[in-house]
Amino acid sequence: MQWFGRRESDNVEDDRGSGGGGGRFALGGGIVSIIALAIYYFTGVDTSQLLNQVATNSQPQTEQRATDPNAPEDKQKHFVRVVLADTEDIWTKIFSDMGKTYEKPRLVLFTDAIRSGCGNASSATGPFYCPADAKVYIDLSFYDELQNRFGAAGDFAQAYVIAHEVGHHVQNLLGTSAKMDEARNHLSETAYNKLSVKLELQADFYAGVWAHYEQNLKNVLDPGDIDEALTAANAIGDDRLQKQATGHIEPDSFTHGTSAQRMYWFKKGYETGDVSQGDTFGNGDLE
């Protein structure tokens, strides 16, 4: 992705090293905790069983990592600001074409722990979006795990992660998140999980739509960028994560979608660039 020297968003808060969590809130367990906690913050789904499985095989983190604001990590900060700026430009245009106004989210960089409008979170949460304060949160150390543990390397794999979280912001603005909250009040856990999968797949679709315009409006993608995003989507599918964490797969507990589903919807968004084709709910079960 050609990002160096391009416009950077002003809507980034750097809380790294500030102890913004108001005390330690840490759960070990790597990517499984990332997915489980992210599910909660995205949708309110109770993931305690999955987190308990993680906790039995993990040691809690007890030391806070020091952060040097002048460290090489700041290159990633500039990258994040460029990606967020591109999401602002593209979603502003898309919303304008729909006769709507796009309200830009803020993105918060944190180290180890943070207090969001959805409660406390640790770096184990991974990147997440909080509808209550309309902010995206990310500890940049997540990218190390994504690359080194799951083989999803490359700057566009990282961009996909941000675009997915911004996709949840789009859902919030369009009222989808509110409908999910309402559905939670009268659905069983299994039924709600199925809706959660559709919500996550739609965020992947929106990330693909963004990638479409990155190429067609801004012409900043390099050969292999889309493959990087698809590799990341494949790496964090529910089936793959559950198999790695527990040795077996429980489809009724899926909340984000399989690797194949996540890749399919991202690719559909990228190929069509048409927001109207992203109805992952399909049968009107979120009306």
Side-chain angles (χ1 to χ4, degrees):
M1 178 181 179
Q2 301 168 34
W3 66 271
F4 186 76
R6 297 177 53 227
R7 183 180 83 83
E8 299 183 11
S9 173
D10 293 327
N11 294 310
V12 174
E13 303 173 14
D14 193 344
D15 285 346
R16 291 176 294 173
S18 68
R24 294 293 297 156
F25 175 81
L27 286 171
I31 199 74
V32 179
S33 288
I34 288 168
I35 296 300
L37 282 171
I39 293 165
Y40 177 77
Y41 287 108
F42 293 155
T43 66
V45 174
D46 182 4
T47 55
S48 56
Q49 290 184 335
L50 180 55
L51 287 173
N52 286 338
Q53 292 173 356
V54 172
T56 60
N57 296 305
S58 306
Q59 295 297 322
Q61 302 171 6
T62 57
E63 296 181 0
Q64 182 164 333
R65 184 171 73 252
T67 300
D68 178 359
N70 298 314
E73 189 178 51
D74 266 8
K75 180 180 178 181
Q76 287 186 311
K77 176 182 177 180
H78 291 299
F79 171 77
V80 166
R81 290 179 58 165
V82 169
V83 173
L84 186 63
D86 281 359
T87 66
E88 292 169 348
D89 294 344
I90 288 169
W91 284 110
T92 294
K93 172 183 169 28
I94 293 173
F95 269 57
S96 177
D97 290 345
M98 294 189 296
K100 301 178 182 293
T101 299
Y102 181 67
E103 300 172 15
K104 301 173 183 177
R106 296 189 68 80
L107 187 149
V108 181
L109 301 175
F110 71 96
T111 301
D112 292 328
I114 193 72
R115 177 173 293 146
S116 76
C118 297
N120 289 345
S122 79
S123 58
T125 308
F128 67 95
Y129 173 72
C130 175
D133 58 20
K135 292 182 179 181
V136 172
Y137 293 83
I138 183 170
D139 183 330
L140 294 177
S141 65
F142 171 81
Y143 287 145
D144 294 331
E145 185 166 17
L146 189 65
Q147 174 177 332
N148 298 327
R149 185 174 177 186
F150 295 95
D155 54 14
F156 208 71
Q158 298 177 9
Y160 155 74
V161 171
I162 297 171
H164 174 92
E165 303 310 329
V166 172
H168 284 299
H169 179 65
V170 172
Q171 291 171 322
N172 194 25
L173 295 179
L174 295 179
T176 309
S177 301
K179 291 179 180 179
M180 286 289 291
D181 285 341
E182 176 63 26
R184 185 175 54 197
N185 295 328
H186 61 266
L187 293 178
S188 67
E189 180 178 350
T190 298
Y192 187 79
N193 283 351
K194 291 180 180 179
L195 282 186
S196 179
V197 167
K198 296 177 181 182
L199 186 78
E200 295 300 325
L201 294 178
Q202 188 178 66
D204 283 328
F205 173 83
Y206 287 155
V209 169
W210 169 78
H212 172 92
Y213 285 100
E214 277 289 271
Q215 180 61 22
N216 288 273
L217 286 184
K218 294 180 175 290
N219 193 28
V220 295
L221 298 193
D222 292 321
D225 277 348
I226 296 303
D227 286 340
E228 290 176 3
L230 290 171
T231 297
N234 177 65
I236 53 178
D238 279 329
D239 51 344
R240 181 170 177 174
L241 293 172
Q242 284 190 0
K243 184 70 173 179
Q244 291 174 338
T246 67
H248 61 276
I249 297 173
E250 298 179 7
D252 283 346
S253 67
F254 286 177
T255 52
H256 276 60
T258 66
S259 294
Q261 288 173 322
R262 301 198 69 166
M263 289 189 293
Y264 170 83
W265 281 103
F266 173 85
K267 192 173 182 180
K268 183 175 182 179
Y270 173 69
E271 291 177 345
T272 66
D274 183 357
V275 174
S276 68
Q277 296 194 40
D279 184 10
T280 56
F281 298 91
N283 60 2
D285 51 9
L286 201 59
E287 296 299 329

